[in-house]
Structure formats: C-alpha cells, structure tokens
Amino acid sequence: MSDTSTVKEAISKLRHEIERHNRMYYIEAKPEISDYEFDRLLEKLIALEKQYPELVTPDSPSQRVGGTITRNFPAVQHSEPMLSLANTYSLGEVEDFYNRVTKLLALESVYEQEMVAELKFDGVAVSLLYRDGLLVRGATRGDGFQGDDITANIKTIATVPLRLSETGESVSEQRKATVEVRGEVFMRKDDFERLNESRPEEDRFANPRNATAGTLKLQDSAEVAKRRMYFVAYWLKGVGGESTAHFERLELLQQLGFYTGGNYRLCRSLDDIGKFIGKWSEKRWKLPFETDGVVLKLNDVRQWEKLGATAKSPRWAIAYKYPAQQAETVLRDVVFQVGRLGTITPVAELEPVRLAGSTVSRSTLHNFDEMERLGVMLHDRVVIEKSGEVIPKVISVVLDKRPREAMPVAIPHVCPECATPLLKPENEVSWYCPNEQECPAQIRGRILHFASRDAMDIKTLGRALVDQLVDVGLVRDVSDLYFLQEPQLERLERMGRKSAQNLLRALDESREKSYDRLLYALGIRHVGRATARELAKAYPSLEELMQAGEEELSTVPDIGPSIAWSIRDFFSRPSIPALIEKLRDAGLQLKASGQSALVNRNFEGISVIFTGTLERYGREKASEMVVERGGRITGSVSKKTGLLVAGKEPGSKLEKARKLGVRVITEEEFEAML
Ligand code: IVH
C-alpha cells in the first residue's frame, strides 16, 4: 500500500470496525468475533499506524492498549466538587427525602416532582474531560475537590469514548465546548474472579470495587488495559442547555457514545420509586456486575442549585442501599487450612443454606483473632452475610439460640498437617506453620500453584494427583515433577499407562512456558502475574534477578519495598539454588525469550533511566531499544543506576544522579550509543 489515501481509508475502516466490536462486546453484550480475532484486528491497525505514524490520531483504538508508565499521578482540580451521596437503608427514609424535597421547593403537590431512579454501581467515581470532542483528561474523585490525573489508565477502558460521537443536533452544536462527564468505573464479577485467580492467594482483592480501585492506581497502563473495566456515565456538563433535565442528559450521554447501563427510570411518584427499588432487589443478583442500591435524583436540574448541598452530599439526590443479604445456619465444624505460604486459615463448615442466589456450606473465618472476636462455638447458630463480597462471611453468633451441646473450638498450637509448633509474626494477624520445607500442605500448595492456569498451566496435574505424588514421596518440590518416570506414575492409584503418559507430555510441554510465567509459578510472596511480567522485563534472566538487591528491585514499576523484600527473602533461602539448578537441568525457560535476539549488546548489564522529554523517540520506544540491546530500565535513581539519559526539561532525577555520581548523557549521545 503506497497511496496515502488508500492507507487512510484502510485505517479508518479498521478503526470503525474495532470500535464497533468494542460496542458489541462491552455495551450490547453480543460479541460477534472472538477475543483472538479482535486482537488480530487491533494488531493490524497498530502495524499500519507504525508504518504511517503521521496517520495516528488520539482517538484511534490503538491508543487503548496502554504502554505509558506514569510514576506519579499529577493532582488536578475539579471544576466543581465531586460530591458523595447521603445513604438511606429504608423505604421510610426514602419517603422522608421525597417529602423534604417537596417541602423545600414549596411545590404545590408531590405529583409535580419527578425523580430519576438509577442503579448504584459499586465501583470508583471518575471525571472525564473533553475538549473539541476529544478526551483530554481522566481523573479520580480524590477528596472531592482535587483528584489524581489517571488519563493513561482511563484511555484503556473500552466504554470511555476517546472522541464524542456527533449524532444528534444538540450534540454537534456544542462539539467545541468543554464537556465533562462523570460516572463510575467498575469491573464485572466474572472478570474480577478471573483477575483474582491470576494473583497470589495472599494478595487477592476482596471485591470488584477494590480490584477496580487498585487497577486505576497502577503505573503501567498496559497492565490496566489487560484488566477489563467498564465506565458507566451518570452526570454531564457542557452539552445541552443549562436546564436540560437529568433524564434527557442521560439520553444525551448515550448519543455521545457513553454507556449508561440503560436501567434508569423516570419516577413520577413515591409508588414508582418503591416499584423500581422492589424490582431490582432480587433482579440485581442476575446482573454481571455488583450494585448495592438505587440512586434517586431530582429530574429538574434547575432545582439542583436551589436545593444546594451539605458539606458532603447534594440535597437533590439520595442513595438507597439494599440491606446486606443474611441467613442463619448452624456451624457444624471448623477446619484449619494450611496455605502454600504456611498461613493457617480457619474455615467454617456450615449446614447448607440459600443466600443471595446460591447455596453456601463453607465460609472463611479469616484468622484466630476474628474467631475470638465472634466468640463462636461449635454447633452455634451463626449469621452469615454476603454484601459486596463474593465469598460470604460469618458476622455474628445468635447467642440466644446457643444449644446445650455447644463446644469451644479447639485452637491448634501445632500445624494440623505436620505438627510443627505454630508461630505468629509480630504485626500480623495470622499464625504460620514455619516448616516450609517439610510441611506436606505447603508442598502441595506450592505444586498446585505452580501447575495453575496462569502459572505453568499443567491441566492434568489436579489436586488428587498432587496429594498422591506428595504422600508417596515422589515429589518434594516443583523441580521433582520434571524427573518423574512412567513406571513410577503407573503404580499410583487411578493412574493407568495412558494418564501417566498424558501427565508426562503435559509436563514436557510446560518446559516451553515463558520465563515470566515461571517467575510467577515459583510462588514468591506478593509476586502475581503482573508483577512477574514487570520483573521479567527489568531482569531478562533469573540469574540477574537473583543478584538484584532490595533497593534496586524497588525501582521496578509497581514494586514497592515489601515486594522487593519478599523477592530478596525468597532467593536467599538455602533451598533455592538447588531448586533453580534442577529447573535448569529440566530445561525450563530461565531467560526471557527475546534475549537471544538482541540487536546488539551495547547496553548489556546497564540499568538506564530517562528523565525529561525525549524528542526523537517516545519513552516507550527508547526503553524498548535499551532492552533490545541487553540493558534494563529502572524508574528511580540509585547507586546502581548505570546511565541517566536527560531529555528536555529534565526533572529532579538529574540532580540526584549527579549527586550519586551516575553517568549522565544527552539524547544525542544516547542515540550514538544505540
Ligand atoms: S451520582 C452528586 N449516580 O456512589 C452525586 N453516583 O455514594 C454524584 N455511584 O460518589 C453521584 N452509582 O461514586 C451517582 N448512578 C449513580 C451512581 C453513583 C454509583 C457512586 C458514586 C458516588 C457514590 C456515592
């Protein structure tokens, strides 16, 4: 393709196609193509744009894949405060609100006042700013007056239009104006569960809202792009007249290309409101995302100003929160589970009971402190609750109904699996089994984690088989898996020749799994899939990673002091060198695969930092080129920094580098070095 106009056309066609599939997937929930096909389309577009960089526009879907690393999110001022809502928990209070508004506005009759009822999305509030129709800024609520600029992360959300759509007359008229849209970013329940599966047990998010908040704060927008999030719009300024009613504004938002969820209603009476609340109290469990209530807003926005706000919330709106779903049942037993990292977790075994759309028979009691706080005894009647969380929890004991046969729960002082005395580290709530090397529960946990989907993905290696392999002593650590022989396996229960061969084949295939997966599979505390990817980027071989000190590790994006400590701690254990040697003998990938294809070795072993604006290459491209030449990128200056490239208007890093005696070069010198 050489004719620019044909290329232009091809690019424009691809963009439309991609945005249409985005809509079909995220808004209509009727995807027409597979994720794989979608990724191919996007790749095609990115390749074309790479060839013709002059044709890249800020609203191209290629801008959603992320890649920018934000070190600090600059603070931004909100045009008007982002208020919160007053909560109510009963229909009586909703009625009070309704009557209060009527009285304050001195309306003749309550029938004059219209309310818009919307679902209350359980996510994170953000504000989006558009200039000349283009998204220029996305910010968190912060303290209501001042939030964080998280534009790079916001752009990755498929239901955030990068350009306002121009259908509808009232819309195109105002295209040039500054437009602000507010709404909620949230995660679907299934995407949330999938995300949690990819995280180490000790770092799982409690609910989709926490996961969303955590994701929006990530520094690496490419990682944000991998987690599917949604934006639902519920507030608009700058399009339509000052007096356009709220209901019309929601319709306008849809015309501008926003997702509004579509489940809002105009209510003309208290009765209508009651019906809306009633309808969603059960129906909400069928939604793919979490809602914890209903928001009621006065439809006539001209009255909003008249009513004003208290310090925290407007007087023209209110949130009705559904009561948490509870059920009463009997505590049959408490079992103590030993995790992969030795943590002891008490788990309640319950008489099965229906709760919020599913049957519950187990629930976590978190830790011994929590059990003591509850004062729970065996055979007690307990109340369990499901609020936002996916897993129900025991919230109280029904003391009035304590049966005569109630018995104290015996708290173990030794590990239920290996009888080693338990320990409780200072400042932590959990007890641990310190027998890391020998405790069969920990060994099994490590192997199961190693084989799990986001790690080495060894499907034939399930729980029952792992139990057997560990019990009979064939496997003591993950490296033993790769030295298993067919005759040994055949002798196991429920294991014929066929299954033995299947397992060996699966293990064989797993040798090819990427180095960053292996890093995750090792089960280092706090190192999830995303962190493992960052580590692999910064340290393209395990050898380099093993030598990295704590201070140096904390300069890798998204790695804080506690993760850095835990990585160091892991590699300094006496058993690790032998384990790594054995994994090397087994032929696993202890290096990033890209490493063999180095362009040259001009940056080999050098950690490089950029500061200021690079004129010739973007940050990302420049970083890539360093890695392709054997170097690595770090984020903050330390004694170990080898080289600082200072672009235009360099920041404080330059000063620090000079103080520490780090070599500083210009962009031209950098280019020469490449
Ligand atoms: S309106 C001034 N509408 O709930 C009113 N908020 O508890 C601004 N929320 O901060 C908010 N769904 O994060 C509004 N349909 C909805 C909502 C909603 C969820 C959140 C929002 C707000 C919080 C207040």
Side-chain angles (χ1 to χ4, degrees):
M1 253 184 281
S2 54
D3 182 5
T4 333
S5 67
T6 358
V7 180
K8 239 184 180 163
E9 217 169 280
I11 286 186
S12 152
K13 225 174 112 192
L14 265 172
R15 287 180 185 162
H16 279 112
E17 211 177 331
I18 291 168
E19 287 297 5
R20 193 176 73 82
H21 286 305
N22 257 342
R23 278 193 74 80
M24 293 311 285
Y25 183 93
Y26 286 96
I27 300 186
E28 317 283 335
K30 282 184 231 135
E32 287 173 353
I33 59 175
S34 67
D35 286 4
Y36 178 80
E37 289 167 297
F38 181 84
D39 288 344
R40 292 293 86 77
L41 285 177
L42 198 56
E43 271 168 24
K44 220 161 125 186
L45 174 67
I46 292 172
L48 264 179
E49 289 184 351
K50 223 175 190 165
Q51 231 180 321
Y52 299 89
E54 68 278 12
L55 297 181
V56 180
T57 55
D59 62 336
S60 169
S62 63
Q63 305 303 301
R64 294 194 190 278
V65 298
T68 29
I69 309 272
T70 318
R71 287 257 140 216
N72 296 302
F73 300 112
V76 295
Q77 218 57 36
H78 293 301
S79 65
E80 57 182 277
M82 284 183 82
L83 296 171
S84 184
L85 293 168
N87 289 326
T88 63
Y89 296 89
S90 71
L91 292 173
E93 287 177 272
V94 170
E95 192 173 341
D96 290 347
F97 161 73
Y98 195 78
N99 293 334
R100 195 163 57 238
V101 169
T102 312
K103 208 164 143 203
L104 282 170
L105 294 176
L107 295 174
E108 293 289 292
S109 91
V110 291
Y111 298 106
E112 275 184 45
Q113 95 188 51
E114 290 176 338
M115 292 271 172
V116 180
E118 299 166 22
L119 292 180
K120 187 168 184 326
F121 299 89
D122 203 6
V124 176
V126 300
S127 140
L128 312 178
L129 209 62
Y130 291 82
R131 286 222 180 85
D132 296 336
L134 275 183
L135 175 71
V136 291
R137 194 193 82 187
T140 60
R141 189 175 97 96
D143 63 5
F145 299 96
Q146 189 177 307
D148 289 340
D149 184 333
I150 51 162
T151 312
N153 290 348
I154 288 293
K155 278 191 175 169
T156 67
I157 302 171
T159 57
V160 169
L162 299 175
R163 176 187 291 280
L164 298 177
S165 111
E166 290 174 38
T167 50
E169 261 170 55
S170 51
V171 176
S172 54
E173 252 171 54
Q174 310 236 353
R175 203 174 71 75
K176 293 259 173 238
T178 301
V179 175
E180 187 184 352
V181 175
R182 292 180 182 176
E184 202 87 349
V185 176
F186 66 89
M187 218 177 256
R188 281 172 58 119
K189 288 187 264 191
D190 51 353
D191 290 329
F192 160 73
E193 270 162 42
R194 173 87 187 77
L195 169 67
N196 250 358
E197 248 174 66
S198 79
R199 297 177 66 79
E201 246 165 83
E202 66 279 12
D203 288 328
R204 301 222 160 129
F205 293 112
N207 52 49
R209 178 171 22 85
N210 288 358
T212 308
T215 303
L216 286 177
K217 275 195 237 133
L218 288 178
Q219 294 169 330
D220 181 358
S221 58
E223 187 52 40
V224 179
K226 288 194 193 101
R227 305 188 184 174
R228 280 184 185 151
M229 298 193 295
Y230 287 71
F231 173 76
V232 59
Y234 51 62
W235 189 94
L236 170 68
K237 197 168 107 179
V239 179
E242 297 257 295
S243 57
T244 306
H246 182 62
F247 191 84
E248 268 76 52
R249 290 186 181 185
L250 290 173
E251 310 268 289
L252 264 174
L253 280 167
Q254 281 184 51
Q255 287 178 32
L256 289 166
F258 289 93
Y259 171 64
T260 58
N263 294 316
Y264 50 87
R265 285 283 167 283
L266 190 61
C267 297
R268 296 206 160 84
S269 65
L270 205 50
D271 196 39
D272 282 355
I273 294 173
K275 276 192 189 130
F276 187 88
I277 291 176
K279 174 174 131 185
W280 285 102
S281 92
E282 280 307 313
K283 222 177 144 183
R284 70 195 169 111
W285 298 111
K286 299 214 170 73
L287 292 168
F289 49 84
E290 286 184 348
T291 45
D292 54 350
V294 166
V295 178
L296 299 166
K297 295 174 191 164
L298 195 63
N299 191 30
D300 187 346
V301 303
R302 286 169 306 186
Q303 315 281 19
W304 289 8
E305 221 165 300
K306 234 192 242 171
L307 288 173
T310 67
K312 279 210 219 116
S313 47
R315 292 199 183 83
W316 43 265
I318 202 165
Y320 168 82
K321 297 254 247 186
Y322 288 110
Q325 298 276 307
Q326 295 185 336
E328 204 182 293
T329 185
V330 173
L331 177 69
R332 283 181 172 167
D333 200 2
V334 175
V335 294
F336 295 90
Q337 284 181 348
V338 187
R340 159 171 79 82
L341 299 164
T343 321
I344 312 291
T345 308
V347 175
E349 298 202 325
L350 306 164
E351 212 160 278
V353 63
R354 293 290 295 175
L355 175 65
S358 61
T359 302
V360 179
S361 53
R362 301 188 112 203
S363 145
T364 172
L365 287 162
H366 300 289
N367 52 56
F368 298 173
D369 284 3
E370 173 69 4
M371 276 179 48
E372 206 165 290
R373 194 189 64 77
L374 289 166
V376 68
M377 292 170 84
L378 293 183
H379 312 301
D380 261 342
R381 291 195 74 82
V382 292
V383 178
I384 59 170
E385 179 177 299
K386 218 180 207 178
S387 42
E389 295 76 11
V390 181
I391 307 161
K393 53 180 182 229
V394 175
I395 60 152
S396 63
V397 176
V398 190
L399 285 176
D400 297 351
K401 296 192 194 160
R402 175 162 280 170
R404 214 171 292 176
E405 70 274 19
M407 281 195 305
V409 182
I411 301 280
H413 296 287
V414 298
C415 173
E417 292 271 350
C418 69
T420 306
L422 300 179
L423 292 181
K424 185 174 170 176
E426 235 178 285
N427 306 328
E428 285 191 37
V429 285
S430 296
W431 286 79
Y432 286 89
C433 163
N435 185 13
E436 209 180 276
Q437 278 309 304
E438 313 276 341
C439 176
Q442 294 184 54
I443 297 176
R444 289 194 305 258
R446 284 196 289 267
I447 295 168
L448 276 171
H449 171 77
F450 185 82
S452 65
R453 183 163 61 171
D454 287 293
M456 304 304 268
D457 194 21
I458 310 168
K459 290 199 184 63
T460 42
L461 194 55
R463 189 173 290 272
L465 181 52
V466 170
D467 284 355
Q468 273 200 79
L469 289 169
V470 175
D471 282 353
V472 303
L474 279 176
V475 174
R476 290 178 42 90
D477 66 41
V478 295
S479 68
D480 291 333
L481 290 168
Y482 293 96
F483 297 92
L484 289 168
Q485 305 286 330
E486 198 179 311
Q488 295 173 314
L489 290 171
E490 272 179 42
R491 265 177 258 134
L492 297 177
E493 269 169 58
R494 290 181 305 265
M495 213 12 162
R497 165 174 291 184
K498 192 103 188 270
S499 343
Q501 286 172 348
N502 282 344
L503 174 63
L504 291 176
R505 191 171 328 111
L507 281 163
D508 227 17
E509 285 167 9
S510 77
R511 286 176 221 257
E512 299 304 319
K513 286 273 155 36
S514 63
Y515 160 65
D516 62 292
R517 267 183 188 260
L518 176 66
L519 280 185
Y520 169 62
L522 288 176
I524 306 168
R525 180 175 260 238
H526 302 309
V527 174
R529 196 65 188 93
T531 312
R533 270 191 223 112
E534 291 296 344
L535 278 176
K537 262 192 251 164
Y539 301 95
S541 75
L542 198 57
E543 229 160 278
E544 287 169 86
L545 176 60
M546 285 171 77
Q547 280 159 21
E550 240 176 284
E551 193 192 343
E552 185 186 329
L553 283 163
S554 357
T555 65
V556 175
D558 292 319
I559 294 190
S562 74
I563 305 185
W565 184 87
S566 132
I567 296 168
R568 258 324 326 133
D569 175 59
F570 180 87
F571 286 114
S572 57
R573 291 182 195 170
S575 59
I576 294 301
L579 172 76
I580 305 283
E581 260 337 288
K582 231 166 131 191
L583 290 175
R584 190 186 311 278
D585 290 345
L588 269 67
Q589 307 299 312
L590 308 190
K591 271 187 189 148
S593 59
Q595 221 202 7
S596 49
L598 286 185
V599 175
N600 60 42
R601 296 178 173 272
N602 296 354
F603 284 82
E604 191 159 349
I606 305 181
S607 55
V608 180
I609 280 195
F610 296 103
T611 181
T613 320
L614 300 184
E615 309 218 286
R616 214 154 315 225
Y617 314 100
R619 241 340 132 84
E620 203 187 341
K621 180 68 197 161
S623 309
E624 201 177 289
M625 290 192 300
V626 168
V627 173
E628 281 168 2
R629 286 156 179 79
R632 62 167 172 270
I633 303 298
T634 47
S636 55
V637 185
S638 77
K639 281 178 288 190
K640 298 235 169 129
T641 309
L643 197 60
L644 179 126
V645 183
K648 241 173 113 179
E649 292 174 39
S652 60
K653 287 180 201 163
L654 178 61
E655 213 171 295
K656 183 153 182 216
R658 290 214 166 112
K659 248 186 227 154
L660 292 173
V662 172
R663 188 174 155 212
V664 177
I665 60 171
T666 63
E667 191 173 355
E668 285 72 48
E669 289 170 301
F670 171 66
E671 213 184 341
M673 249 188 101
L674 288 171

